Amino acid sequence: MTLKRLNRRTLLRSIGAATIGLPLLEEMVVTQASASPAEQVPVRAFNVFFGLGIPAPLQSERFDGVLEPLKPLRKKLLIMRNVDQIRCDEKGINAHYDGASGAFTAEPPDGEAKSGGPSIDQVIRKAHYPEGLPSGMVPTLVGGTFFRRSRVGRYVHSYNEDCTVAATMQEKPRDLFERVFGSISLSEDGTDLRKRRLKRSVLDSVIADYRFYTGSNSPLGAVSKARVADHLDRIREFEQRAYALKENTPNAPTSPPPSHILHGGQADPGGMGIDITLEELTTEWRLMADLYALAIQLDRARFGALTFLAAGERIRLSGDYEFNGKLLWQFDDARQLKASGDKGCSHEWWHKFDEKNKNEALRAHAHMKMREIAYFLSKLDNAEAVEANGQTILENSLITISTESGDGRHNDVKRELSGVFHAITGANGRFKTGSILDVKAEGMDVYNTMLAGMDVKDRLGPARRDATSIDVIRR
């Protein structure tokens, strides 16, 4: 049987708004000679942010300390120490805000709702897709699990050229699911979409396409047919998790319950913080991370940002923290800090950092954040994420990981905004991976070197600024 080659972005579409991408199949794999670069591996750039940061001295411990969860991915990451974001300082405001706004832009904020410049993902998007992304894609996907909300720069980390947010933040898994796969409209008037959405699964709306690709007239071989079926089962699993749908009962999902964690103003009541268990936090974050990774795998998103806890995050975390089968810490922030309200939040451990002390609670929090960041990255580095060039999506994409501060104490701006943790992936061989480098450079120079490595002519920052290329990070 001669198989017809399919476009790598073949989609299942409904008569409504739902669009679902097929996984990479053997019929989509093209030879290097016949494929354009875009067909082989698309250009992607994502910003991953985690709140509060990692004190610079702890970064020097490499994978023996809080960076331990990243160790399995060490060959696919370049970790950069001694990155300076001092230019992001805004007088009268601390790094919880200006440092976070400078992550991925290298500029101080411009008010409470705008950044001081575009983020690197959007500069790359504009350069590589000046006419826009292919039809059916989410132009920019922004999602996250966070609570501190006073300023947009705390939790949104993708910005347009005019410094406005690049996309609406999706902070509930079901909202992210609908952003990626669309909602279902069962009539032309489009009224009462929410109620109509509850009556049907998004997969049921593409059943005709599904039957074609798995039926006797399908252009797919037996192996690919089976993979399509498994693939849609996986989407249904995520949909069930996001919407609490009845398992294996098509056309009859239950009404989605409220999210298990707080959102909106309730998530940040006067900045006093909220009580949350580790299980509640990680369960929702991991569903969000799963959905975000799935959107990338299905080529529904190539640019955007994902946030795990906002800048200056205020939560009172409780619960046992295990890693690799061992109990590392028992979170109980309020009791351990002997305080209530905002003074009993994990935020305070960063203010209490002292090089002479063990900093056990701070270490546990930072370690946990690296575990959850590693969870997301690993979803792009498995058999389901292997692309036409034999590398995984993680290896082929530019994923930039950063945070707000290199020291949580607010008594020294230079120290607070120096040593800010950064890590990047290889971007299809453009950047060195497998090492931890002391770059000793300004964030703007690091970002502009990354842009140059991505074949982008535009640069961040003032046009007349003397720039330094950080060649040590490039292949």
Side-chain angles (χ1 to χ4, degrees), residues 174 178 194 197-198 242-245 253-259:
R174 66 186 186 185
E178 286 196 352
R194 174 60 65 178
R197 174 65 181 85
L198 304 183
Y243 278 86
L245 309 186
T254 59
S255 175
S259 178

Side-chain angles (χ1 to χ4, degrees), residues 9 44 81 89 105 115 159 166 182 194 304 333 411 427-428 434 443:
R9 296 204 64 257
R44 306 184 189 91
R81 299 189 307 210
D89 176 54
T105 71
S115 67
Y159 291 94
R194 174 60 65 178
D333 288 327
N411 58 0
N428 198 9

Side-chain angles (χ1 to χ4, degrees), residues 61-206:
E61 298 172 358
R62 304 174 72 84
F63 299 113
D64 294 327
V66 300
L67 302 184
E68 180 187 11
L70 298 178
K71 188 174 182 178
L73 298 167
R74 63 190 182 281
K75 293 183 179 180
K76 300 179 182 182
L77 293 174
L78 170 62
I79 295 175
M80 293 180 279
R81 299 189 307 210
N82 289 315
V83 177
D84 160 19
Q85 293 279 44
I86 296 173
R87 72 162 41 244
C88 299
D89 176 54
E90 186 167 293
K91 189 175 181 180
I93 300 177
N94 59 52
H96 293 318
Y97 176 43
D98 50 19
S101 297
F104 319 111
T105 71
E107 292 276 23
D110 181 14
E112 294 192 7
K114 295 176 68 177
S115 67
S119 55
I120 50 181
D121 65 307
Q122 293 303 308
V123 178
I124 295 170
R125 181 174 75 93
K126 176 187 172 184
H128 284 273
Y129 301 95
E131 304 302 320
L133 290 163
S135 175
M137 297 193 71
V138 179
T140 297
L141 186 61
V142 179
T145 298
F146 63 96
F147 308 95
R148 196 75 172 99
R149 329 176 62 83
S150 62
R151 299 170 184 260
V152 171
R154 288 187 184 272
Y155 51 90
V156 176
H157 298 286
S158 183
Y159 291 94
N160 294 316
E161 190 175 18
D162 65 358
C163 305
T164 59
V165 295
T168 301
M169 166 69 81
Q170 312 296 317
E171 58 177 293
K172 297 179 182 178
R174 66 186 186 185
D175 291 342
L176 185 69
F177 187 93
E178 286 196 352
R179 175 69 173 140
V180 173
F181 298 117
S183 57
I184 306 303
S185 176
L186 302 183
S187 67
E188 293 183 358
D189 60 20
T191 59
D192 210 4
L193 287 178
R194 174 60 65 178
K195 290 183 179 179
R196 297 179 191 279
R197 174 65 181 85
L198 304 183
K199 296 178 181 179
R200 293 187 66 180
S201 165
V202 70
L203 296 182
D204 297 325
S205 70
V206 297

Side-chain angles (χ1 to χ4, degrees), residues 319-368:
D320 292 347
Y321 175 52
E322 295 184 355
F323 183 74
N324 287 344
K326 296 181 179 180
L327 178 65
L328 296 190
W329 187 252
Q330 291 180 301
F331 290 115
D332 193 352
D333 288 327
R335 182 183 64 82
Q336 291 160 349
L337 286 164
K338 300 178 181 179
S340 60
D342 61 324
K343 298 302 181 185
C345 294
S346 58
H347 178 123
E348 296 305 301
W349 298 121
W350 267 257
H351 294 324
K352 294 178 181 295
F353 174 68
D354 187 336
E355 298 92 328
K356 299 177 182 179
N357 295 336
K358 293 183 179 180
N359 304 292
E360 293 176 294
L362 186 155
R363 286 176 177 274
H365 278 278
H367 192 284
M368 179 271 293

Side-chain angles (χ1 to χ4, degrees), residues 172-177 197 201-203 232-248 253-260 279-294 372 375 379:
K172 297 179 182 178
R174 66 186 186 185
D175 291 342
L176 185 69
F177 187 93
R197 174 65 181 85
S201 165
V202 70
L203 296 182
L232 295 183
D233 282 345
R234 187 160 60 112
I235 293 178
R236 183 178 289 279
E237 175 200 343
F238 287 145
E239 185 180 28
Q240 289 166 354
R241 288 166 61 190
Y243 278 86
L245 309 186
K246 292 180 180 178
E247 186 175 359
N248 298 324
T254 59
S255 175
S259 178
H260 290 296
E279 181 179 8
E280 290 170 334
L281 174 63
T282 57
T283 295
E284 182 134 335
W285 156 256
R286 291 191 174 197
L287 175 54
M288 181 70 75
D290 286 343
L291 290 170
Y292 201 104
L294 183 63
E372 299 309 310
Y375 175 87
K379 294 298 178 178

